[in-house]
Amino acid sequence: MKLKFLALLVFVLASCKSPEARYPVAQRSGSYINESAQRNRDLLNQEEATIQQLIEQDSTNDYITSSNGFWYYYNQKSTDSTNTTTAEFGDIVVFDYSISSLDGQPIYAEGEKPTREYAMDQEKLFRGLREGLKLMKEGETVTFLFPSFQAFGYYGDQERIGTNVPLKTKVTLHSIETETDNETNN
C-alpha cells in the first residue's frame, strides 16, 4: 500500500510541472514582405520607364506629370476663363471614359461604358481616375497614363483588365454639380 501511495505521490508531483513553451518548427523573418516590396518597386520602375518611352516618342502632345504619380495631356482644354471649377469631395460629376493598353489596344472602347454619374470620393472608382477627375474642368477631355498601382493594380477589374496592367484612359467631363448646388436643390 505504501508503495502504491509513493508511486501516486511521485506521479502527482511530476505532473504539476509548469508548462513549457512550444517553439515553431520553422521560423520566418520578414523576408517575404521585403521581397514583395522589392518586386513592387521593380514593377513600378519598369512601368514608369515604359511610360517615359511612350511620352518621348509622342511629339504631338504636351504631357503633364501629376503629383499623384501619373501623366496626362489635354485632348480638349477649356478656354473659358470663367470656367475655373474643379471637382471636390461630395461634388457630382458626369463623365464618359474609355480604357486602352499603353500601346493603344482598346480594352473598353469609347461608348462601350455608359456615361457615369459619380459622387467624388464617396463611391468606388479606381484611384487614378478618381484623382484625374479632380484636375479637370467641365467640357474638358483628357488622356491619362496610369501605372498599374494607379489603375486596377494586382486584382485587375476581374473582367478584361488583368493583373498589374498600366492603362491609357481618355476621359470627357460633361458636368460638375458642386455640393452647395446639391444642398440648394434638395
Side-chain angles (χ1 to χ4, degrees):
M1 175 86 172
K2 279 187 174 186
L3 189 57
K4 286 183 181 179
F5 178 72
L6 189 57
L8 182 62
L9 183 63
V10 169
F11 177 73
V12 169
L13 289 177
S15 64
C16 290
K17 187 170 98 172
S18 64
E20 291 183 22
R22 297 184 303 168
Y23 295 98
V25 175
Q27 293 183 355
R28 292 191 176 193
S29 65
S31 66
Y32 175 76
I33 293 172
N34 294 336
E35 290 169 9
S36 177
Q38 186 59 47
R39 275 192 309 273
N40 288 335
R41 280 191 291 272
D42 293 344
L43 176 65
L44 178 61
N45 289 337
Q46 179 185 4
E47 290 175 358
E48 285 181 346
T50 302
I51 291 171
Q52 287 300 328
Q53 185 179 22
L54 189 117
I55 290 171
E56 289 170 9
Q57 292 172 354
D58 184 2
S59 60
T60 59
N61 296 303
D62 294 324
Y63 287 85
I64 301 167
T65 303
S66 92
S67 61
N68 294 306
F70 57 84
W71 295 260
Y72 63 100
Y73 64 87
Y74 288 91
N75 300 75
Q76 180 179 339
K77 188 170 182 164
S78 175
T79 57
D80 182 6
S81 61
T82 61
N83 183 11
T84 59
T85 305
T86 57
E88 295 178 5
F89 179 84
D91 293 348
I92 305 296
V93 295
V94 177
F95 65 97
D96 287 313
Y97 68 106
S98 62
I99 299 175
S100 62
S101 62
L102 288 180
D103 62 2
Q105 295 298 317
I107 298 172
Y108 293 103
E110 286 190 46
E112 191 171 346
K113 290 271 196 187
T115 299
R116 175 102 189 252
E117 187 174 290
Y118 171 71
M120 288 301 296
D121 296 329
Q122 296 179 345
E123 297 177 42
K124 191 172 180 177
L125 191 64
F126 71 89
R127 180 179 174 183
L129 184 53
R130 187 173 61 238
E131 296 303 320
L133 285 168
K134 293 176 186 176
L135 300 172
M136 297 177 68
K137 298 176 186 125
E138 285 184 357
E140 292 184 332
T141 300
V142 177
T143 298
F144 297 97
L145 303 178
F146 298 119
S148 63
F149 84 95
Q150 287 283 355
F152 290 91
Y154 180 75
Y155 294 104
D157 75 342
Q158 301 179 355
E159 289 180 28
R160 298 184 194 174
I161 301 171
T163 300
N164 296 324
V165 177
L167 299 174
K168 181 186 281 191
T169 305
K170 184 177 178 182
V171 182
T172 301
L173 182 60
H174 299 292
S175 66
I176 301 172
E177 187 176 326
T178 62
E179 193 171 29
T180 55
D181 293 342
N182 293 335
E183 291 170 2
T184 57
N185 289 339
N186 291 334

